[in-house]
Amino acid sequence: MIRFFTIVILWVFVVGRALAGEGMWIPILLEKYNIDEMQSKGFQLTAEDIFSLNQSSMKDAVMVFGGGCTGSMISAEGLLITNHHCGYSVIQSHSSVTNDYLKDGFWAYSKEEELVNPNLQVRFLKRMEDVTSRVLHGVSDDMARSHRANLIRRNMDKIVTEATEGTHYTASVESFYHGNQYFLFVNEVFRDVRLVGAPPSSIGKYGGDTDNWMWPRHSGDFALFRVYADSNNQPADYSPGNVPYQPAWHFPISTAGVKEGDFTMVFGYPGSTSQYVPSFHLQMLTETVYPALIDLRTAKLNIMNHYMDNDALVRIQYASKNASLSNAWKRWKGEIRGLGILDAVAVKQMFEADFTQWVEAHPERYNRYGNIIDLYRDTYESYIDYRLARDFMMELIGRRGLETIRFAGSFEKLFSMYGTENFTKEQIDAERDKLEIEINNHFKDFSLSIDREITPAAMHKYRKSVPQQFHGNIFKDIDAKYKGDVNAFMTNLFSTTIFTDENIVRQFNSSLSKRQLRQVQNDPALAFFRQLRDVYYNDILPGFNRLNQTLDSLNRLYMQGIMAFDSTRVFYPDANFTLRVAYGRVGGYLARDAVQYQYQTTLDGIFEKFATGNPDYAIPLRLQELYHQRDYGNYAVNGTVPVCFVATNHTTGGNSGSPVLNGRGELIGVNFDRAWEGVMSDLMFNPEQCRNISVDIRYALFIIDKFAGASYLLEELNLVP
Ligand code: ARG
Ligand code: GLU
């Protein structure tokens, strides 16, 4: 009965208008599609206030932070707020066992104390523009696929060149609605971004991986940085003479708090979603790909956790690696569950049946979209294996898989250069310099004990989960010389390779003697890397790419078809790491039978969890003091301090660090997660259960002021009651 009920609701929802909260909207189209609805839900400003091409607007305060997060400007002096987990690896890079900023937090008590980060950048959007007709100029439907792609690429290059010529801006053209629309984005990138403040992980990552992706949540997941510019307020490389950047907009901060039903809006960079995929895609993920990857990562994480629990250095070295592995691992589990509850495959199948009926009702439609579902079915039938093999291979060579073997592989380029006459001594030396950095990075955060266990465990799983057609010669020696015993093979590999010995590798890279070179050429780790690489490039990638191209064309056509089929609905495009607006309302949810969650957590909850004794709920002494003395200053609300809240905004990875705004465009929180019951929103949104999680800005202020004593920072903020 319940199932039937959900199907009916979703049915209305998938084919009907987007319901509360769903959608990641294009900022320059708000005026056309969204502003009326936003205002009816409590937004008190205009579309022009959010995004204007002529005057300063909120968009001037929003940025891409680092490689995959969002951040926002909160002062006229370049102060920015993002998530602790977005700054995590930067904070880690300044840390050591004796000076552990991850563990103890870091606060600059003056601008001089701020920490410089050579590899950190932020990117502001200057303008965007629909360039569809220029991108598709000369392109026709019946063109050969490669011809079409080349033409589009050339058109895009031209647009980008024109947009950036004579400026210091960067630009890109991005595809929307699966190649049915294109926008140009012109950006300004700042390269001097300094660390200002970060709470200890026991606040910023309070609840650790126990609470990750979960509500009720109590993390103070925020960190502060400052953007610096040259004396003309323009981007510059780090220099002690740089001055704080003066943004065209920074967000006022509301101290009024939130309540159930309040309008909220999230302005940021959602990375990637797949809302319009056919049922076969969901089947592939939930039945094949996710289960195999979950199984593999469970093994990796168990091994890491074991060594991290027993060694303080390893705990720091693997903190970031572990967090990034466990993050998607837990989300995949939630997605499988969430899609199951929605009966998502059946919902999609019903939609596809309806769509097919609509297509078949008209010869014209049939001409255009006929067979598309059958074509999808055929394509996915072969695609599944390639996708699994490719994802698995990424887990071996990247993603904290076979670390020594990957590291050995990074010397391949040097070998290939050395063997031919085509490279100058300068080029080879440049490559050796790069490898020097690679050596530093690899060994700084490396545990041989962990790698020696993960490597054979991962290869066992590869053999078990990935179809034989992708085994190549990977297991040839293992079978021939070790009777199929992966462990014995790897034990031998680890005892003979040079790539586990930092001194030898360093010495090799600096002297590069002929004799050594020959010896290293035959190193077993390098040999194994080559087996994997050959399978990846010869057996996996060509088929994977070919099928992806087929899927790309089908997706482009299907998207057109869906939009024509349901021509009154306003469709939002899948996320593609471009700036978007999501809006909804503050509100709790029914998590499971009889369990109704409220929308706000408080400091009291932090101490309830502390009492369980779980080490993920450790609390810094200073916070314990404040709690015991009820020393909450101005931040007390009903005898406690608000910590996090949930709302119905449609967000995804990349939205971390996004400003969460109230109806007046004031900052009320910083987005950092989604609730586990709703993480399938990347594939299918359920308005009943999909919630984004934000740290309440009042908690951040409380931590900065009362916990860290960095109250001087508050002086540059624009606090509004
Ligand atoms: N789940 C959030 C995201 O996808 C937060 C991850 C960091 N926090 C953690 N406890 N691992 O990035
Ligand atoms: N923590 C995620 C991020 O890094 C946001 C959570 C989500 O996927 O919605 O972007």
Side-chain angles (χ1 to χ4, degrees), residues 25-55:
W25 303 96
I26 300 175
I28 52 170
L29 299 182
L30 294 175
E31 179 66 37
K32 191 161 158 198
Y33 295 128
N34 310 95
I35 197 68
D36 292 343
E37 193 196 8
M38 290 174 76
Q39 287 169 344
S40 77
K41 290 186 166 159
F43 186 58
Q44 296 171 28
L45 307 173
T46 65
E48 186 81 357
D49 291 323
I50 299 174
F51 193 105
S52 170
L53 293 172
N54 308 311
Q55 64 200 41

mmCIF file of all heavy atoms in Angstrom, residues 25-55:
data_model
loop_
_atom_site.group_PDB
_atom_site.id
_atom_site.type_symbol
_atom_site.label_atom_id
_atom_site.label_comp_id
_atom_site.label_asym_id
_atom_site.label_seq_id
_atom_site.Cartn_x
_atom_site.Cartn_y
_atom_site.Cartn_z
ATOM 1 N N TRP A 25 18.625 26.001 -10.193
ATOM 2 C CA TRP A 25 18.202 26.873 -11.270
ATOM 3 C C TRP A 25 19.320 27.765 -11.781
ATOM 4 O O TRP A 25 20.254 28.099 -11.048
ATOM 5 C CB TRP A 25 17.001 27.700 -10.825
ATOM 6 C CG TRP A 25 15.875 26.819 -10.370
ATOM 7 C CD1 TRP A 25 15.580 26.457 -9.083
ATOM 8 C CD2 TRP A 25 14.928 26.146 -11.207
ATOM 9 N NE1 TRP A 25 14.491 25.614 -9.066
ATOM 10 C CE2 TRP A 25 14.074 25.399 -10.353
ATOM 11 C CE3 TRP A 25 14.702 26.100 -12.585
ATOM 12 C CZ2 TRP A 25 13.018 24.618 -10.839
ATOM 13 C CZ3 TRP A 25 13.652 25.331 -13.069
ATOM 14 C CH2 TRP A 25 12.826 24.601 -12.207
ATOM 15 N N ILE A 26 19.187 28.177 -13.037
ATOM 16 C CA ILE A 26 20.205 29.007 -13.676
ATOM 17 C C ILE A 26 19.986 30.463 -13.267
ATOM 18 O O ILE A 26 18.904 31.005 -13.498
ATOM 19 C CB ILE A 26 20.103 28.876 -15.213
ATOM 20 C CG1 ILE A 26 20.316 27.412 -15.624
ATOM 21 C CG2 ILE A 26 21.108 29.783 -15.904
ATOM 22 C CD1 ILE A 26 20.117 27.144 -17.104
ATOM 23 N N PRO A 27 20.994 31.089 -12.659
ATOM 24 C CA PRO A 27 20.765 32.422 -12.078
ATOM 25 C C PRO A 27 20.257 33.476 -13.065
ATOM 26 O O PRO A 27 19.440 34.300 -12.683
ATOM 27 C CB PRO A 27 22.125 32.806 -11.483
ATOM 28 C CG PRO A 27 23.079 31.726 -11.799
ATOM 29 C CD PRO A 27 22.336 30.560 -12.331
ATOM 30 N N ILE A 28 20.711 33.455 -14.325
ATOM 31 C CA ILE A 28 20.200 34.516 -15.204
ATOM 32 C C ILE A 28 18.791 34.227 -15.724
ATOM 33 O O ILE A 28 18.201 35.058 -16.402
ATOM 34 C CB ILE A 28 21.112 34.848 -16.424
ATOM 35 C CG1 ILE A 28 21.474 33.607 -17.198
ATOM 36 C CG2 ILE A 28 22.342 35.621 -16.020
ATOM 37 C CD1 ILE A 28 22.164 33.956 -18.525
ATOM 38 N N LEU A 29 18.249 33.047 -15.411
ATOM 39 C CA LEU A 29 16.881 32.762 -15.862
ATOM 40 C C LEU A 29 15.863 32.836 -14.719
ATOM 41 O O LEU A 29 14.694 32.511 -14.901
ATOM 42 C CB LEU A 29 16.827 31.389 -16.536
ATOM 43 C CG LEU A 29 17.714 31.239 -17.780
ATOM 44 C CD1 LEU A 29 17.543 29.853 -18.396
ATOM 45 C CD2 LEU A 29 17.390 32.316 -18.820
ATOM 46 N N LEU A 30 16.299 33.275 -13.549
ATOM 47 C CA LEU A 30 15.380 33.344 -12.405
ATOM 48 C C LEU A 30 14.209 34.270 -12.697
ATOM 49 O O LEU A 30 13.062 33.978 -12.373
ATOM 50 C CB LEU A 30 16.111 33.855 -11.156
ATOM 51 C CG LEU A 30 17.199 32.955 -10.571
ATOM 52 C CD1 LEU A 30 17.898 33.667 -9.421
ATOM 53 C CD2 LEU A 30 16.623 31.628 -10.094
ATOM 54 N N GLU A 31 14.538 35.400 -13.314
ATOM 55 C CA GLU A 31 13.509 36.391 -13.623
ATOM 56 C C GLU A 31 12.396 35.744 -14.447
ATOM 57 O O GLU A 31 11.215 35.952 -14.211
ATOM 58 C CB GLU A 31 14.158 37.549 -14.399
ATOM 59 C CG GLU A 31 13.204 38.656 -14.802
ATOM 60 C CD GLU A 31 12.632 39.419 -13.609
ATOM 61 O OE1 GLU A 31 13.375 39.632 -12.635
ATOM 62 O OE2 GLU A 31 11.433 39.764 -13.662
ATOM 63 N N LYS A 32 12.798 34.910 -15.393
ATOM 64 C CA LYS A 32 11.845 34.308 -16.314
ATOM 65 C C LYS A 32 11.055 33.164 -15.665
ATOM 66 O O LYS A 32 9.850 33.062 -15.832
ATOM 67 C CB LYS A 32 12.637 33.767 -17.511
ATOM 68 C CG LYS A 32 11.818 33.344 -18.683
ATOM 69 C CD LYS A 32 12.710 33.297 -19.923
ATOM 70 C CE LYS A 32 12.130 32.404 -20.998
ATOM 71 N NZ LYS A 32 13.159 32.026 -21.970
ATOM 72 N N TYR A 33 11.745 32.307 -14.906
ATOM 73 C CA TYR A 33 11.099 31.076 -14.463
ATOM 74 C C TYR A 33 10.762 30.999 -12.978
ATOM 75 O O TYR A 33 9.855 30.272 -12.593
ATOM 76 C CB TYR A 33 11.984 29.868 -14.792
ATOM 77 C CG TYR A 33 12.174 29.634 -16.260
ATOM 78 C CD1 TYR A 33 13.446 29.497 -16.799
ATOM 79 C CD2 TYR A 33 11.067 29.534 -17.106
ATOM 80 C CE1 TYR A 33 13.624 29.272 -18.153
ATOM 81 C CE2 TYR A 33 11.236 29.318 -18.462
ATOM 82 C CZ TYR A 33 12.522 29.189 -18.988
ATOM 83 O OH TYR A 33 12.689 28.972 -20.308
ATOM 84 N N ASN A 34 11.530 31.654 -12.129
ATOM 85 C CA ASN A 34 11.432 31.322 -10.717
ATOM 86 C C ASN A 34 11.011 32.440 -9.773
ATOM 87 O O ASN A 34 10.523 32.168 -8.679
ATOM 88 C CB ASN A 34 12.790 30.805 -10.209
ATOM 89 C CG ASN A 34 13.354 29.725 -11.088
ATOM 90 O OD1 ASN A 34 14.166 30.004 -11.974
ATOM 91 N ND2 ASN A 34 12.911 28.508 -10.885
ATOM 92 N N ILE A 35 11.242 33.689 -10.179
ATOM 93 C CA ILE A 35 11.169 34.739 -9.167
ATOM 94 C C ILE A 35 9.776 34.846 -8.535
ATOM 95 O O ILE A 35 9.649 35.063 -7.329
ATOM 96 C CB ILE A 35 11.683 36.103 -9.712
ATOM 97 C CG1 ILE A 35 11.992 37.038 -8.555
ATOM 98 C CG2 ILE A 35 10.690 36.723 -10.673
ATOM 99 C CD1 ILE A 35 13.164 36.641 -7.709
ATOM 100 N N ASP A 36 8.716 34.632 -9.331
ATOM 101 C CA ASP A 36 7.364 34.730 -8.765
ATOM 102 C C ASP A 36 7.168 33.697 -7.665
ATOM 103 O O ASP A 36 6.673 33.996 -6.579
ATOM 104 C CB ASP A 36 6.306 34.528 -9.857
ATOM 105 C CG ASP A 36 6.312 35.685 -10.839
ATOM 106 O OD1 ASP A 36 6.891 36.746 -10.489
ATOM 107 O OD2 ASP A 36 5.767 35.529 -11.945
ATOM 108 N N GLU A 37 7.582 32.486 -7.980
ATOM 109 C CA GLU A 37 7.433 31.425 -6.987
ATOM 110 C C GLU A 37 8.301 31.713 -5.758
ATOM 111 O O GLU A 37 7.871 31.534 -4.618
ATOM 112 C CB GLU A 37 7.815 30.076 -7.603
ATOM 113 C CG GLU A 37 7.381 28.920 -6.726
ATOM 114 C CD GLU A 37 8.056 27.603 -7.067
ATOM 115 O OE1 GLU A 37 8.984 27.591 -7.904
ATOM 116 O OE2 GLU A 37 7.657 26.592 -6.472
ATOM 117 N N MET A 38 9.519 32.186 -6.001
ATOM 118 C CA MET A 38 10.411 32.485 -4.871
ATOM 119 C C MET A 38 9.779 33.540 -3.969
ATOM 120 O O MET A 38 9.776 33.416 -2.744
ATOM 121 C CB MET A 38 11.776 32.985 -5.381
ATOM 122 C CG MET A 38 12.597 31.909 -6.053
ATOM 123 S SD MET A 38 14.117 32.560 -6.809
ATOM 124 C CE MET A 38 15.146 32.804 -5.374
ATOM 125 N N GLN A 39 9.232 34.562 -4.595
ATOM 126 C CA GLN A 39 8.641 35.643 -3.801
ATOM 127 C C GLN A 39 7.408 35.155 -3.056
ATOM 128 O O GLN A 39 7.184 35.512 -1.907
ATOM 129 C CB GLN A 39 8.344 36.850 -4.691
ATOM 130 C CG GLN A 39 9.637 37.569 -5.094
ATOM 131 C CD GLN A 39 9.456 38.619 -6.178
ATOM 132 O OE1 GLN A 39 8.424 38.633 -6.866
ATOM 133 N NE2 GLN A 39 10.458 39.471 -6.364
ATOM 134 N N SER A 40 6.655 34.283 -3.711
ATOM 135 C CA SER A 40 5.458 33.777 -3.030
ATOM 136 C C SER A 40 5.850 32.923 -1.826
ATOM 137 O O SER A 40 5.065 32.715 -0.912
ATOM 138 C CB SER A 40 4.585 32.980 -3.997
ATOM 139 O OG SER A 40 5.142 31.702 -4.198
ATOM 140 N N LYS A 41 7.082 32.426 -1.846
ATOM 141 C CA LYS A 41 7.522 31.590 -0.719
ATOM 142 C C LYS A 41 8.305 32.376 0.323
ATOM 143 O O LYS A 41 8.835 31.793 1.265
ATOM 144 C CB LYS A 41 8.366 30.439 -1.235
ATOM 145 C CG LYS A 41 7.513 29.439 -2.001
ATOM 146 C CD LYS A 41 8.275 28.215 -2.396
ATOM 147 C CE LYS A 41 7.278 27.144 -2.822
ATOM 148 N NZ LYS A 41 7.890 26.126 -3.653
ATOM 149 N N GLY A 42 8.444 33.676 0.114
ATOM 150 C CA GLY A 42 9.061 34.472 1.170
ATOM 151 C C GLY A 42 10.325 35.217 0.785
ATOM 152 O O GLY A 42 10.933 35.875 1.623
ATOM 153 N N PHE A 43 10.723 35.124 -0.469
ATOM 154 C CA PHE A 43 11.899 35.898 -0.880
ATOM 155 C C PHE A 43 11.483 37.347 -1.081
ATOM 156 O O PHE A 43 10.503 37.630 -1.764
ATOM 157 C CB PHE A 43 12.465 35.311 -2.185
ATOM 158 C CG PHE A 43 13.756 35.949 -2.621
ATOM 159 C CD1 PHE A 43 14.867 35.941 -1.787
ATOM 160 C CD2 PHE A 43 13.867 36.558 -3.864
ATOM 161 C CE1 PHE A 43 16.062 36.526 -2.184
ATOM 162 C CE2 PHE A 43 15.057 37.143 -4.272
ATOM 163 C CZ PHE A 43 16.157 37.123 -3.424
ATOM 164 N N GLN A 44 12.216 38.274 -0.469
ATOM 165 C CA GLN A 44 11.751 39.666 -0.466
ATOM 166 C C GLN A 44 12.506 40.565 -1.438
ATOM 167 O O GLN A 44 12.244 41.761 -1.522
ATOM 168 C CB GLN A 44 11.873 40.242 0.954
ATOM 169 C CG GLN A 44 10.966 39.517 1.940
ATOM 170 C CD GLN A 44 11.243 39.925 3.372
ATOM 171 O OE1 GLN A 44 11.681 41.029 3.637
ATOM 172 N NE2 GLN A 44 10.968 39.025 4.300
ATOM 173 N N LEU A 45 13.471 39.983 -2.184
ATOM 174 C CA LEU A 45 14.248 40.816 -3.106
ATOM 175 C C LEU A 45 13.904 40.445 -4.554
ATOM 176 O O LEU A 45 12.956 39.706 -4.796
ATOM 177 C CB LEU A 45 15.742 40.623 -2.835
ATOM 178 C CG LEU A 45 16.186 40.838 -1.378
ATOM 179 C CD1 LEU A 45 17.643 40.460 -1.203
ATOM 180 C CD2 LEU A 45 15.942 42.282 -0.949
ATOM 181 N N THR A 46 14.689 40.947 -5.496
ATOM 182 C CA THR A 46 14.401 40.696 -6.904
ATOM 183 C C THR A 46 15.462 39.775 -7.520
ATOM 184 O O THR A 46 16.509 39.538 -6.912
ATOM 185 C CB THR A 46 14.439 42.011 -7.698
ATOM 186 O OG1 THR A 46 15.792 42.513 -7.651
ATOM 187 C CG2 THR A 46 13.489 43.031 -7.111
ATOM 188 N N ALA A 47 15.169 39.306 -8.717
ATOM 189 C CA ALA A 47 16.136 38.461 -9.425
ATOM 190 C C ALA A 47 17.419 39.235 -9.697
ATOM 191 O O ALA A 47 18.523 38.687 -9.642
ATOM 192 C CB ALA A 47 15.527 37.960 -10.743
ATOM 193 N N GLU A 48 17.247 40.524 -9.964
ATOM 194 C CA GLU A 48 18.391 41.398 -10.228
ATOM 195 C C GLU A 48 19.304 41.534 -8.990
ATOM 196 O O GLU A 48 20.503 41.725 -9.123
ATOM 197 C CB GLU A 48 17.843 42.775 -10.659
ATOM 198 C CG GLU A 48 18.874 43.780 -11.117
ATOM 199 C CD GLU A 48 19.316 43.591 -12.577
ATOM 200 O OE1 GLU A 48 18.862 42.628 -13.235
ATOM 201 O OE2 GLU A 48 20.143 44.399 -13.036
ATOM 202 N N ASP A 49 18.717 41.426 -7.812
ATOM 203 C CA ASP A 49 19.532 41.467 -6.589
ATOM 204 C C ASP A 49 20.419 40.230 -6.475
ATOM 205 O O ASP A 49 21.472 40.263 -5.852
ATOM 206 C CB ASP A 49 18.639 41.541 -5.336
ATOM 207 C CG ASP A 49 17.926 42.879 -5.221
ATOM 208 O OD1 ASP A 49 18.536 43.901 -5.574
ATOM 209 O OD2 ASP A 49 16.759 42.892 -4.781
ATOM 210 N N ILE A 50 19.946 39.133 -7.048
ATOM 211 C CA ILE A 50 20.718 37.894 -6.973
ATOM 212 C C ILE A 50 21.803 37.881 -8.042
ATOM 213 O O ILE A 50 22.960 37.572 -7.774
ATOM 214 C CB ILE A 50 19.801 36.660 -7.160
ATOM 215 C CG1 ILE A 50 18.760 36.620 -6.046
ATOM 216 C CG2 ILE A 50 20.615 35.386 -7.199
ATOM 217 C CD1 ILE A 50 17.718 35.524 -6.227
ATOM 218 N N PHE A 51 21.395 38.220 -9.241
ATOM 219 C CA PHE A 51 22.347 38.146 -10.350
ATOM 220 C C PHE A 51 22.100 39.288 -11.314
ATOM 221 O O PHE A 51 21.081 39.341 -11.982
ATOM 222 C CB PHE A 51 22.179 36.817 -11.095
ATOM 223 C CG PHE A 51 23.310 36.522 -12.032
ATOM 224 C CD1 PHE A 51 24.265 35.560 -11.702
ATOM 225 C CD2 PHE A 51 23.445 37.194 -13.243
ATOM 226 C CE1 PHE A 51 25.321 35.294 -12.549
ATOM 227 C CE2 PHE A 51 24.503 36.929 -14.099
ATOM 228 C CZ PHE A 51 25.441 35.976 -13.750
ATOM 229 N N SER A 52 23.058 40.183 -11.369
ATOM 230 C CA SER A 52 22.920 41.299 -12.290
ATOM 231 C C SER A 52 24.172 41.405 -13.130
ATOM 232 O O SER A 52 25.277 41.141 -12.659
ATOM 233 C CB SER A 52 22.722 42.597 -11.506
ATOM 234 O OG SER A 52 22.820 43.698 -12.397
ATOM 235 N N LEU A 53 23.981 41.772 -14.388
ATOM 236 C CA LEU A 53 25.144 41.975 -15.246
ATOM 237 C C LEU A 53 25.591 43.433 -15.206
ATOM 238 O O LEU A 53 26.638 43.785 -15.719
ATOM 239 C CB LEU A 53 24.827 41.554 -16.679
ATOM 240 C CG LEU A 53 24.590 40.046 -16.843
ATOM 241 C CD1 LEU A 53 24.096 39.710 -18.241
ATOM 242 C CD2 LEU A 53 25.844 39.238 -16.524
ATOM 243 N N ASN A 54 24.768 44.281 -14.614
ATOM 244 C CA ASN A 54 25.045 45.719 -14.671
ATOM 245 C C ASN A 54 25.499 46.330 -13.354
ATOM 246 O O ASN A 54 26.211 47.318 -13.341
ATOM 247 C CB ASN A 54 23.797 46.469 -15.136
ATOM 248 C CG ASN A 54 23.271 45.879 -16.417
ATOM 249 O OD1 ASN A 54 24.041 45.671 -17.353
ATOM 250 N ND2 ASN A 54 21.996 45.554 -16.443
ATOM 251 N N GLN A 55 25.048 45.764 -12.257
ATOM 252 C CA GLN A 55 25.414 46.341 -10.969
ATOM 253 C C GLN A 55 25.873 45.220 -10.042
ATOM 254 O O GLN A 55 25.690 44.047 -10.350
ATOM 255 C CB GLN A 55 24.215 47.062 -10.359
ATOM 256 C CG GLN A 55 23.074 46.099 -10.053
ATOM 257 C CD GLN A 55 21.746 46.805 -9.913
ATOM 258 O OE1 GLN A 55 21.424 47.711 -10.658
ATOM 259 N NE2 GLN A 55 20.962 46.359 -8.938
#
